[in-house]
Amino acid sequence: MPAPQTAVLSTSDDDELHLDWYRQGSDRLAIISHGLEGHSRRPYVLGLARALMADGWDVLAWNFRSCGGVMNHQPRFYHSGATEDLHAVVSHALAGSYNNVFLSGFSMGGNLTLLYLAQQSERIDSRISGAVAFSVPADLAGSADMLALPSRKIYMQRFLRDLHGKMQQKAERFPGLIDISGFESIRNFHQFDDRYTAPLHGFKDAHDYWANCSALFRLKDIRVPALMVNAADDPFLSPQCFPESRKILGAHVKIEVPKWGGHVGFVEHAKDGYYWSERRALDFVRSGFS
């Protein structure tokens, strides 16, 4: 992979989004959104970027607010429904010379991608051709319940450890607004989202946040071809993250459920070095999104 060209995109509320561009003169662009507490240079992002570049695409991988090693300026940070930031990134890209823009997301970034497409619905820019999303917690409440299980404790502790560090920085910048006393008593996303995510982003509580930001309830509004790939053995996903009904999926969303893959795992030892997920994404775009 070549080193990216970095850029900073200003937001309408005086904040910043940090972007990694991989340009090779293409008129096709893939935009990749990472997962919870991830960043634009995680191996799964770089792997998909490498595969798409080899197939002739330019790539733009972006960092959610507070991710990628740079703390953002506002009290708010990122969340599963922060589609205004993805919209800013997409609009920035469409201001260029691209006539074909493809969206991809992993985990939280997958939910964000599908929710964005659903919100755009009939108004979507004609240059946005489709999307693929992997390991999507489309049912946020159910996925929070899954991660609260004792058997998922190791994952939950890791997320909370990383989030604790960020909230410490936030508390130092905004001491009258953000309080981290007693943070060690937080054990799950219900408690974290109730205390921080919901109030900082305009939601009543965790359940209000999850209800408004779960892509599951809006999939039927998507108007471009979209593929959601959730592994049957994903420890983060609730049963509702595997919808089969057309009433839920709508006319344009397809779901695939491979037996293995875990959460953003999809590893495959192949001669070309690609993961199974990267090969599936390439097949999807090469076949005209089918």
Side-chain angles (χ1 to χ4, degrees):
M1 280 289 294
Q5 298 172 306
T6 60
V8 178
L9 177 62
S10 298
T11 65
S12 59
D13 61 345
D14 298 318
D15 216 333
E16 295 178 346
L17 300 173
H18 292 258
L19 316 179
D20 282 351
W21 282 95
Y22 300 90
R23 294 186 175 99
Q24 52 185 357
S26 178
D27 63 354
R28 299 178 293 153
L29 175 71
I31 298 176
I32 304 176
S33 300
H34 62 77
L36 179 74
E37 282 305 284
H39 53 76
S40 61
R41 300 183 191 181
R42 278 283 169 88
Y44 59 83
V45 174
L46 295 178
L48 181 57
R50 178 175 66 93
L52 287 165
M53 287 187 70
D55 207 50
W57 295 76
D58 281 8
V59 173
L60 169 55
W62 68 290
N63 291 285
F64 303 161
R65 299 191 197 207
S66 81
C67 296
V70 182
M71 181 53 65
N72 66 305
H73 304 314
Q74 297 295 334
R76 63 163 294 178
F77 50 113
Y78 68 89
H79 64 85
S80 295
T83 52
E84 65 276 10
D85 286 349
L86 178 54
H87 183 63
V89 172
V90 172
S91 298
H92 177 66
L94 289 173
S97 58
Y98 296 107
N99 57 35
N100 184 350
V101 173
F102 170 69
L103 305 183
S104 183
F106 294 88
S107 193
M108 174 185 276
N111 184 83
L112 189 72
T113 296
L114 296 177
L115 182 63
Y116 171 71
L117 293 176
Q119 291 173 343
Q120 292 295 303
S121 194
E122 304 287 357
R123 300 178 290 108
I124 195 164
D125 192 289
S126 61
R127 290 169 288 180
I128 297 177
S129 55
V132 62
F134 294 98
S135 305
V136 185
D139 165 35
L140 295 175
S143 294
D145 288 343
M146 292 294 291
L147 280 163
L149 294 173
S151 59
R152 314 298 197 265
K153 185 177 180 180
I154 187 172
Y155 303 115
M156 195 70 251
Q157 288 180 329
R158 186 186 69 202
F159 285 135
L160 289 174
R161 182 183 66 244
D162 293 345
L163 289 166
H164 186 204
K166 286 189 175 179
M167 299 319 296
Q168 285 179 311
Q169 293 183 59
K170 291 285 187 186
E172 290 171 3
R173 295 190 185 195
F174 307 100
L177 182 63
I178 298 173
D179 178 15
I180 60 167
S181 61
F183 190 99
E184 62 277 1
S185 67
I186 294 176
R187 295 287 182 267
N188 52 54
F189 279 130
H190 192 148
Q191 294 168 342
F192 180 85
D193 289 341
D194 257 345
R195 183 170 177 182
Y196 296 109
T197 311
L200 285 172
H201 300 98
F203 301 102
K204 184 175 67 174
D205 54 25
H207 286 289
D208 182 47
Y209 158 50
W210 297 336
N212 279 281
C213 297
S214 293
L216 179 68
F217 310 123
R218 299 291 306 275
L219 295 175
K220 61 184 179 297
D221 297 326
I222 293 176
R223 294 295 181 268
V224 295
L227 173 66
M228 179 166 67
V229 183
N230 285 347
D233 65 344
D234 192 320
F236 292 14
L237 304 186
S238 69
Q240 287 72 32
C241 294
F242 302 88
E244 297 179 355
S245 168
R246 276 291 144 205
K247 290 183 178 179
I248 297 175
L249 293 170
H252 299 279
V253 179
K254 177 181 180 181
I255 184 169
E256 292 183 357
V257 185
K259 290 183 179 179
W260 300 283
H263 193 72
V264 196
F266 304 109
V267 177
E268 184 178 64
H269 297 292
K271 291 182 179 179
D272 57 13
Y274 290 165
Y275 282 5
W276 179 89
S277 51
E278 294 153 11
R279 188 174 290 102
R280 183 64 189 96
L282 289 178
D283 288 345
F284 187 61
V285 296
R286 288 171 178 169
S287 63
F289 308 104
S290 62

